[in-house]
């Protein structure tokens, strides 16, 4: 692979690797949560997440259970990174070009509408119908983990398509949460939230790059939205969208300053011992600062926060939400529930059918084109893997259903569909035959 192409692909490869390992950790914490919830300590395990924590006091403060702090607070960090990823993809990624963006956008739309329709046909009324958005989601960590296991047997363009599709899917889920899962609005708190959002946008326009500004104003925005009735996770996406994309130092200016500092450091000679003198230490610190300021704040924050989300936020969310305590008879009853069946069929059948159908229509209408070295069979395989809902599906479940029984049924459907989608998707993509053996060998060399 040419050096230039390798450099361009490096950020995607780093993202891919972190998502892969994160998927394994997420799977491990899910298994632990299920074991603990059904162990003799299940009652204590569930009670632990309901411990109440208060910030502030009775007259002015926030008081929520640990479970709610995780879902309303910690997951806002997850959505912050989602916001950064969405902004990056639309400005400089696979979604920046209308031609490149058309296919994953079309696929994502089909992959959201068809599963929602299948669920609604099976649950047309009552409280159960509120879960129509649950099978719309895709868990990119698990899906890319399966792609990684396939190695060089599929082209890299397939993994890139899945990543872009999942990011559009996340954007769709965020819009659904904001529009359809918002409780009664507190107008005063909403106005305060809008003012804080305007302040963040002004900070961006004025060139403020220090993360503390966005953290403090963003925290105020989160509290305002939490009080307003709009789910606080939306604050994370909005904050991510206001992070600046321009570096403080342009590339040429950075090179000039860095070369000058390196020249100064070289002229100072080698210092014996582990410590530098103050002058040389100052040059090192100055070099560190201009290197820091040569990076886009958005890209830097995404890089720094991504590992915290993958290896911290998502596993904690899984521990707090994945545990289902059920007897054998309860599990059998849940498997026959319209909610469980609707989610399972929506994810397992609706996702691949919707993605393939709408993507094919977009290509036939001339609105999009297949990526190089990609076939329709592989797009269908990606659609199967997109049926791994998990994190976002469980998050929407908590918003959709106030009753524990419906939540348990929904989670059974999510687990069943995600497990089957992962296994079937892997086997399908592993066994699918590529027509050009030479092409396969070239892919093997470049992987």
């Amino acid at each position: 692979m040419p050096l230039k192409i390798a450099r361009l692909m490096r950020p995607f490869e780093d993202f891919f690797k972190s998502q892969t390992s994160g998927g394994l950790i997420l799977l491990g914490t899910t298994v632990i949560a299920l074991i603990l919830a059904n162990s003799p300590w299940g009652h204590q395990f569930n009670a632990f997440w309901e411990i109440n924590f208060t910030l502030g006091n009775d007259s002015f403060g926030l008081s929520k259970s640990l479970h709610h702090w995780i879902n309303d607070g910690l997951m806002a960090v997850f959505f912050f990174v989602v916001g950064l990823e969405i902004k990056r993809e639309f400005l400089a990624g696979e979604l920046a070009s209308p031609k490149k963006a058309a296919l994953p956008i079309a696929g994502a739309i089909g992959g959201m509408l068809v599963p929602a329709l299948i669920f609604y046909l099976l649950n047309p009324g009552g409280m159960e119908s509120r879960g129509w958005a649950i099978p719309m989601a895709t868990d990119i960590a698990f899906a890319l983990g399966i792609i990684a296991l396939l190695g060089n047997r599929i082209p890299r363009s397939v993994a890139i398509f899945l990543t872009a599709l999942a990011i559009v899917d996340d954007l769709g889920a965020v819009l659904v949460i904001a529009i359809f899962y918002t409780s009664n609005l507190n107008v005063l708190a909403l106005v305060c939230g809008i003012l804080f959002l305007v302040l963040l946008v002004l900070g961006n326009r004025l060139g403020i790059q220090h993360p503390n500004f966005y953290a403090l104003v963003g925290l105020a925005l989160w509290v305002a939205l939490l009080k307003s009735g709009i789910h606080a996770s939306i604050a994370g996406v909005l904050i991510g969208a206001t992070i600046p994309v321009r570096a403080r130092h342009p590339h040429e200016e950075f090179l000039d300053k860095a070369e000058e500092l390196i020249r100064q450091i070289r002229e100072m000679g080698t210092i014996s011992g582990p410590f530098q003198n103050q002058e040389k230490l100052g040059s090192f610190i100055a070099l560190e600062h201009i290197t820091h300021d040569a990076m886009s704040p958005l890209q830097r924050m995404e890089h720094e926060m991504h590992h915290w989300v993958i290896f911290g936020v998502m596993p904690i969310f899984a521990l707090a939400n994945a545990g289902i305590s059920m007897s054998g008879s309860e599990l059998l009853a849940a498997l026959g529930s319209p909610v469980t069946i609707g989610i399972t069929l929506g994810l397992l059948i609706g996702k691949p059918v919707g993605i393939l159908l709408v993507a094919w229509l977009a290509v036939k209408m001339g609105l999009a084109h297949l990526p190089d070295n990609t076939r329709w069979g592989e797009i269908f395989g990606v659609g199967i893997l997109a049926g791994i809902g998990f994190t976002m599906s469980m998050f929407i479940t908590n918003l959709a259903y106030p009753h524990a029984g419906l939540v348990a049924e929904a989670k059974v459907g999510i687990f069943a569909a995600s497990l089957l989608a992962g296994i079937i998707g892997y086997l399908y993509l592993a066994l699918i035959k590529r027509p050009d053996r030479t092409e396969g060998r070239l892919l093997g060399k470049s992987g």
Side-chain angles (χ1 to χ4, degrees), residues 199-236:
L199 185 58
L200 286 171
V201 173
L202 285 175
N204 179 302
R205 295 296 184 186
L206 293 172
I208 298 175
Q209 296 200 350
H210 202 287
N212 287 350
F213 169 80
Y214 296 95
L216 291 173
V217 181
L219 178 61
L221 173 61
W222 175 80
V223 173
L225 290 189
L226 185 67
K227 294 288 189 179
S228 73
I230 295 176
H231 197 273
S233 60
I234 304 302

Side-chain angles (χ1 to χ4, degrees), residues 4 15 31 65 71 86 99 125 180 192 207 225 234 266 285 288 362:
K4 187 175 181 180
F15 173 79
V31 172
S65 67
N71 291 356
I86 291 171
K99 270 193 169 183
F180 297 101
C192 291
L225 290 189
I234 304 302
R266 187 179 289 114
I285 293 173
E288 181 182 15

Side-chain angles (χ1 to χ4, degrees), residues 198-372:
V198 170
L199 185 58
L200 286 171
V201 173
L202 285 175
N204 179 302
R205 295 296 184 186
L206 293 172
I208 298 175
Q209 296 200 350
H210 202 287
N212 287 350
F213 169 80
Y214 296 95
L216 291 173
V217 181
L219 178 61
L221 173 61
W222 175 80
V223 173
L225 290 189
L226 185 67
K227 294 288 189 179
S228 73
I230 295 176
H231 197 273
S233 60
I234 304 302
V237 179
L238 295 176
I239 298 165
T242 63
I243 301 300
V245 297
R246 296 185 184 277
R248 190 185 301 275
H249 295 309
H251 184 65
E252 293 300 325
E253 181 183 333
F254 162 72
L255 291 178
D256 291 341
K257 290 186 176 183
E259 288 171 358
E260 175 61 23
L261 285 168
I262 291 172
R263 183 189 62 77
Q264 292 176 9
I265 293 170
R266 187 179 289 114
E267 289 176 354
M268 292 176 196
T270 304
I271 306 296
S272 59
F275 299 104
Q276 310 292 343
N277 59 39
Q278 288 300 313
E279 187 178 2
K280 195 169 186 179
L281 179 61
S283 296
F284 278 126
I285 293 173
L287 182 61
E288 181 182 15
H289 285 168
I290 66 165
T291 302
H292 179 276
D293 290 340
M295 293 182 284
S296 158
L298 184 144
Q299 198 168 18
R300 184 174 63 248
M301 289 185 191
E302 183 183 359
H303 175 74
E304 292 174 351
M305 295 297 298
H306 198 76
H307 288 83
W308 286 103
V309 168
I310 289 294
F311 301 115
V313 174
M314 292 175 69
I316 292 173
F317 174 81
L319 276 175
N321 291 274
I324 304 175
S325 179
M326 276 188 171
S327 64
S329 59
E330 289 172 332
L331 180 59
L332 287 174
L335 290 173
S337 160
V339 169
T340 303
I341 295 171
I343 292 171
T344 303
L345 294 181
L347 287 170
L348 198 57
I349 296 175
K351 274 287 184 181
V353 170
I355 288 170
L356 181 66
L357 177 61
V358 179
W360 181 81
L361 287 173
V363 171
K364 286 298 179 183
M365 295 171 64
L367 302 174
H369 62 84
L370 273 178
D372 295 337

Side-chain angles (χ1 to χ4, degrees), residues 3 40 69 72 85 110 123 128 192 258 291 316:
L3 182 60
W69 277 114
D72 293 344
E85 291 171 353
N123 298 273
E128 290 83 358
C192 291
T291 302
I316 292 173

Side-chain angles (χ1 to χ4, degrees), residues 15-31:
F15 173 79
F16 180 78
K17 290 174 184 176
S18 63
Q19 290 284 10
T20 301
S21 52
L24 295 175
I25 292 176
L26 192 58
L27 178 61
T29 51
T30 300
V31 172

